[in-house]
Amino acid sequence: MAAINLHHLRLFRAVALEGKLTEAARQLNLSQSALSSQIRMLEATLGHDLFERQGRRLVLTEAGRIALDHAEAIFRTAEDLSATLRETGRNRRALRVGALATLSRNFQMSFLGPLTGRGDVEIVLRSGSQAELLKSLEALSLDVVLTNLPPSREGETPWMVHSLADQPVSLVGTPARVGPVTRPLSALLATEPLVLPAMDTALRASFDALASRLGVVPRIAAEADDMAMLRLLAREDLGLAILPPIVVRDELAQGLLVEAARLDGISETFLAVTVARRFPNPLLQELLSRAHPAGNPETLTAPLP
């Protein structure tokens, strides 16, 4: 087989993603006839038709779908190489971190702590939803995603999931609300208003199961899916908050909040999600080796949500 022309492959990818030759030609600033000619040359090189016409659209054949999968992998690898080699010789190296918008800021800083303040390191932080962060990770725009939500196991993208920490969870409130006398957990849950994680979180599901086992119907003062908001609501004394103590580490140290009770059997798992790369970021490897000296992350196969 003749060598594949990467320029032809890039043009093919553009047509495949657009679905129309005219639109792809406009985006590429080419004439429709020139673009069509280039695609035919690629088909001749590969020995297969890559498109079939259905109405006004071009639809990928089976060979076309295979070619597109390989094209995507080729250009992702090229971007990976380009991004990595751009850092070579620079005095400052960049680590691009995505973090779930609702994730504890204290945990994020704890994970990144070994790199903060270093003159040779630039940390680029981006927050967002799980779906958009994983898309950026797959596109190699991010080096790692910090989350407390495991990616789905379905699909074809091989996520590398590193368990960073299992944090205990407590009932946390102001000293005035908790009081000087230790009270049983069941009594606290039955009598005090509670600030709870949102219904669609794993932490809330674990708490609801605990309350059911104890035969308690909680008095809900507020719900939030953001750890920072749960922390603020606890400080405002709306009730006892269900939180990992790391989220309110500073308030506990200052005496603004205290732990009323530990929720035994409930924990919050913090994860780092990566993808296999030909040129892994050495800064990330340094952080992960500190968190997991033995290595061996779990590999999940998952789609983009």
Side-chain angles (χ1 to χ4, degrees), residues 11 16 31 47 70 73 81 129 131-133 135 142 151 164 195 232 242 254 264:
L11 298 181
S31 69
H70 283 274
L81 171 61
S129 69
E132 62 188 7
L133 293 176
K135 286 180 181 178
L142 294 174
L164 301 178
V195 177
L232 291 175
I242 309 298
Q254 297 166 17
D264 293 332

Side-chain angles (χ1 to χ4, degrees), residues 18-303:
E18 186 58 44
K20 291 184 178 180
L21 198 64
T22 52
E23 294 298 327
R26 183 179 300 112
Q27 291 182 13
L28 295 167
N29 197 28
L30 291 172
S31 69
Q32 185 173 336
S33 61
L35 179 56
S36 179
S37 175
Q38 303 283 338
I39 297 300
R40 285 196 300 271
M41 291 174 66
L42 178 61
E43 289 177 326
T45 299
L46 295 175
H48 293 277
D49 291 337
L50 300 178
F51 295 101
E52 60 184 6
R53 185 170 291 279
Q54 292 185 4
R56 307 178 76 178
R57 295 189 62 83
L58 292 176
V59 178
L60 289 169
T61 63
E62 182 178 0
R65 287 193 294 272
I66 293 172
L68 181 60
D69 287 343
H70 283 274
E72 294 284 12
I74 288 168
F75 293 124
R76 279 199 302 268
T77 300
E79 174 58 30
D80 190 6
L81 171 61
S82 178
T84 300
L85 296 185
R86 279 197 299 267
E87 301 299 322
T88 302
R90 292 179 55 179
N91 291 329
R92 290 169 65 83
R93 291 178 295 168
L95 178 68
R96 299 162 297 173
V97 180
L100 195 65
T102 57
L103 197 68
S104 164
R105 272 53 169 180
N106 280 346
F107 172 74
Q108 295 177 45
M109 293 308 299
S110 176
F111 175 71
L112 297 171
L115 298 182
T116 57
R118 280 179 43 174
D120 62 332
V121 174
E122 176 185 355
I123 299 175
V124 180
L125 286 169
R126 175 185 166 194
S127 64
S129 69
Q130 181 100 330
E132 62 188 7
L133 293 176
L134 290 179
K135 286 180 181 178
S136 295
L137 180 62
E138 191 193 36
L140 306 180
S141 299
L142 294 174
D143 295 307
V144 62
V145 169
L146 301 179
T147 181
N148 55 359
L149 302 174
S152 169
R153 290 176 178 268
E154 301 174 358
E156 298 180 353
T157 303
W159 306 123
M160 305 296 292
V161 181
H162 311 255
S163 179
L164 301 178
D166 279 314
Q167 292 289 334
V169 176
S170 298
L171 275 178
V172 177
T174 61
R177 181 171 295 281
V178 174
V181 178
T182 301
R183 288 179 282 171
L185 175 61
S186 57
L188 289 167
L189 296 180
T191 59
E192 293 292 338
L194 300 178
V195 177
L196 300 180
M199 288 290 294
D200 58 351
T201 62
L203 184 53
R204 175 61 178 275
S206 296
F207 171 76
D208 287 346
L210 173 63
S212 177
R213 289 197 300 272
L214 294 175
V216 173
V217 178
R219 296 169 51 200
I220 302 175
E223 298 180 1
D225 62 359
D226 188 334
M227 290 287 183
M229 181 56 69
L230 291 173
R231 164 180 161 269
L232 291 175
L233 293 173
R235 288 187 55 167
E236 292 298 318
D237 199 23
L238 266 70
L240 296 178
I242 309 298
L243 280 172
I246 190 174
V247 176
V248 289
R249 178 181 57 199
D250 296 338
E251 286 82 0
L252 292 174
Q254 297 166 17
L256 300 175
L257 296 173
V258 295
E259 287 187 68
R262 181 66 55 87
L263 304 185
D264 293 332
I266 298 180
S267 63
E268 181 81 334
T269 301
F270 294 97
L271 308 169
V273 183
T274 62
V275 290
R277 297 180 60 164
R278 292 179 182 272
F279 305 99
N281 191 319
L283 295 174
L284 177 60
Q285 298 302 107
E286 180 180 338
L287 291 179
L288 292 178
S289 65
R290 289 172 179 265
H292 265 290
N296 301 323
E298 180 183 6
T299 302
L300 301 182
T301 299

